[in-house]
Amino acid sequence: MQQSPSTTQDPGVNDRGAVIGDGITWLARWSLRLLLVAVGAAVCWWLLGVLWVGVFPVILALIVTTVLSGPMSWLRRRRVPSALGAALVLLGSLMIFFGVLGAIAPSMISQAGDLADSAAEGLTSLQERLAQPPFNVDSQTIDQGVTTATQWLQERGGDIASGALTGASAVGSGLVTLVLVLVLVFFFLKDGPAFLPFVRGVSGERAGDHFTEVATRAWNTLGGFVRTQALVSLVDAVLIGAGLLLLGVPLAFPLAVLTFFGGFIPIIGAFSVGALSVLVALVAQGPTTALLVLALIIAVQQLEGNVLQPFLQGRSMQLHAGVILLAVAVGGTVAGIVGAFLSVPIAAVGAVVLRYLSEQANLRSGSVRADGVPTETAEGRRAAARAEQAAVVARARAERAAREDARVGVGVDGVPARRRGLFVGIADRLFG
């Protein structure tokens, strides 16, 4: 008698229900793992918010230290004491910064009077133009508008005073943060080379080797970010400064210098300096020149945002241009200007960590060899060699386990007999 197809099954084919069950088990296992990772990330984010007052100056100090580490290394190679070298580098950088500001101050002061006279003439001509058709605004209407604005300001004097106090508090907090950053930069320059050996001594050789390699790569990435941002700001300053000179706008050199420094502050830096340039052009030479300056600034900003930053930063930090743009958008949405400023270096450091973890996974799986992985430190080469050796040991262990399974046999549910046991079976299903 021939059996029904529904009651027969090829011994080499898994049952459909078993296949679906294995898939659900796999999904549940990874869902549990991802849930634990999400909880850990939420706790870390909460701790970061609580400790942000102390974390933010550290991040800024690290970024500044990447700029000053070159001169400090030069002094250290010439056997200058660390404390003296750090003090010289820090004081020298401050002198250069304030020297540049001092260089542009005379030009601003000498042309401020002309700009004030131009502004007064512009207001007078504007009032005369408003009195003509089609506006027909007489002086009485203008006086009434001024009176209304004055009354509005007087009624909201308390709100304005409160806002002024809030602004003063923010300025005071910013000054405290600046002083703290300068102190941290001094100590980072002075004691920086001893940091990684200290970490290796505390954490042990294995963890210390991994941390040394990752920290070195992250440090080089931060340095590339700062150098690239300086290059982009320099291009902006040269292009905008040249355009202002060609248009005959006063204060062209000071505005170019402000453009360079403003380039390090995303969004608000370029917007503020650009608005100031347009205002100076409007007061000094009228609306036509102001519109030309506005067009120039928009063109330069489009060149920076869509070509220079994604291309140069993508090459220096090995990030795709789309990743950089997405990081800036997310950072600006989450933390405003500070988030936009820190988003790109944080994304670059995160990419360094993920890239290193991927290399370690490839080494431990045996898909690559240690000599095929680029490393930047001797500790990184040691870690890669250990990961390659771990892959060899794991492969030998898997071969022994396969031979043992073949010797003891396999149960009816496909689980080797030597693995039987309630707790072992549950662990295999959840975490195996």
Side-chain angles (χ1 to χ4, degrees):
M1 179 178 179
Q2 186 176 4
Q3 292 182 341
S4 171
S6 60
T7 60
T8 61
Q9 182 177 355
D10 187 351
V13 178
N14 291 330
D15 180 71
R16 177 181 174 84
V19 172
I20 296 175
D22 290 341
I24 295 175
T25 301
W26 179 89
L27 179 61
R29 184 167 60 241
W30 279 101
S31 298
L32 178 61
R33 292 171 176 173
L34 292 176
L35 180 62
L36 294 176
V37 171
V39 171
V43 172
C44 291
W45 182 260
W46 175 78
L47 287 175
L48 181 63
V50 173
L51 303 175
W52 182 248
V53 176
V55 173
F56 181 56
V58 173
I59 296 176
L60 288 182
L62 287 174
I63 294 176
V64 174
T65 306
T66 60
V67 180
L68 304 180
S69 60
M72 184 63 194
S73 299
W74 184 83
L75 292 176
R76 188 175 284 113
R77 287 194 298 268
R78 280 147 184 81
R79 301 186 182 279
V80 177
S82 298
L84 178 60
L88 291 176
V89 171
L90 187 58
L91 292 177
S93 61
L94 290 176
M95 290 176 61
I96 292 174
F97 176 75
F98 287 109
V100 172
L101 295 182
I104 67 177
S107 176
M108 297 180 65
I109 294 174
S110 63
Q111 300 184 42
D114 296 336
L115 288 176
D117 295 338
S118 299
E121 295 176 359
L123 290 176
T124 302
S125 63
L126 178 62
Q127 183 176 357
E128 295 174 352
R129 183 67 184 89
L130 290 175
Q132 299 174 359
F135 303 103
N136 296 323
V137 180
D138 55 10
S139 59
Q140 183 178 0
T141 304
I142 296 176
D143 293 339
Q144 183 178 359
V146 173
T147 303
T148 303
T150 304
Q151 292 177 353
W152 183 86
L153 291 174
Q154 291 175 350
E155 292 173 356
R156 287 159 178 80
D159 296 337
I160 295 174
S162 176
L165 290 176
T166 302
S169 176
V171 171
S173 177
L175 291 176
V176 172
T177 301
L178 177 60
V179 173
L180 182 57
V181 167
L182 294 177
V183 173
L184 289 175
V185 169
F186 171 79
F187 285 112
F188 288 165
L189 291 173
K190 173 179 174 292
D191 302 323
F195 176 68
L196 291 179
F198 170 76
V199 171
R200 288 195 299 271
V202 173
S203 63
E205 181 181 356
R206 290 179 177 272
D209 288 348
H210 290 299
F211 184 84
T212 299
E213 178 67 17
V214 173
T216 302
R217 296 188 187 186
W219 180 261
N220 294 335
T221 299
L222 281 177
F225 163 74
V226 175
R227 289 189 295 270
T228 300
Q229 190 62 43
L231 178 60
V232 171
S233 298
L234 179 62
V235 172
D236 289 351
V238 170
L239 293 178
I240 292 178
L244 295 177
L245 283 175
L246 291 176
L247 294 173
V249 177
L251 302 177
F253 176 69
L255 290 173
V257 174
L258 292 178
T259 299
F260 174 77
F261 288 113
F264 289 90
I265 306 175
I267 303 174
I268 190 173
F271 176 79
S272 300
V273 178
L276 181 60
S277 302
V278 173
L279 180 61
V280 170
L282 177 63
V283 170
Q285 300 199 4
T288 302
T289 304
L291 290 176
L292 292 176
V293 172
L294 179 61
L296 169 67
I297 292 174
I298 292 176
V300 172
Q301 292 302 319
Q302 291 298 315
L303 175 65
E304 173 193 345
N306 297 312
V307 179
L308 293 178
Q309 272 195 339
F311 178 72
L312 294 177
Q313 289 183 350
R315 292 189 61 182
S316 65
M317 295 181 293
Q318 299 181 7
L319 286 178
H320 191 272
V323 175
I324 294 176
L325 294 176
L326 182 61
V328 172
V330 173
T333 303
V334 173
I337 299 172
V338 175
F341 174 70
L342 297 178
S343 58
V344 176
I346 289 177
V349 173
V352 167
V353 175
L354 291 177
R355 197 175 295 120
Y356 183 77
L357 293 176
S358 176
E359 292 174 0
Q360 291 295 309
N362 291 335
L363 287 169
R364 291 181 178 274
S365 65
S367 58
V368 297
R369 296 178 58 85
D371 54 5
V373 175
T375 56
E376 298 187 13
T377 61
E379 291 80 5
R381 288 187 287 273
R382 283 204 306 263
R386 283 198 301 267
E388 182 181 13
Q389 183 62 30
V392 174
V393 173
R395 188 181 301 111
R397 187 177 301 165
E399 293 174 354
R400 289 196 302 270
R403 290 194 297 268
E404 182 67 15
D405 290 345
R407 185 181 66 82
V408 301
V410 177
V412 294
D413 57 354
V415 179
R418 66 183 178 88
R419 295 187 187 177
R420 293 195 175 280
L422 176 61
F423 296 105
V424 174
I426 293 175
D428 285 341
R429 287 296 182 181
L430 288 179
F431 307 106

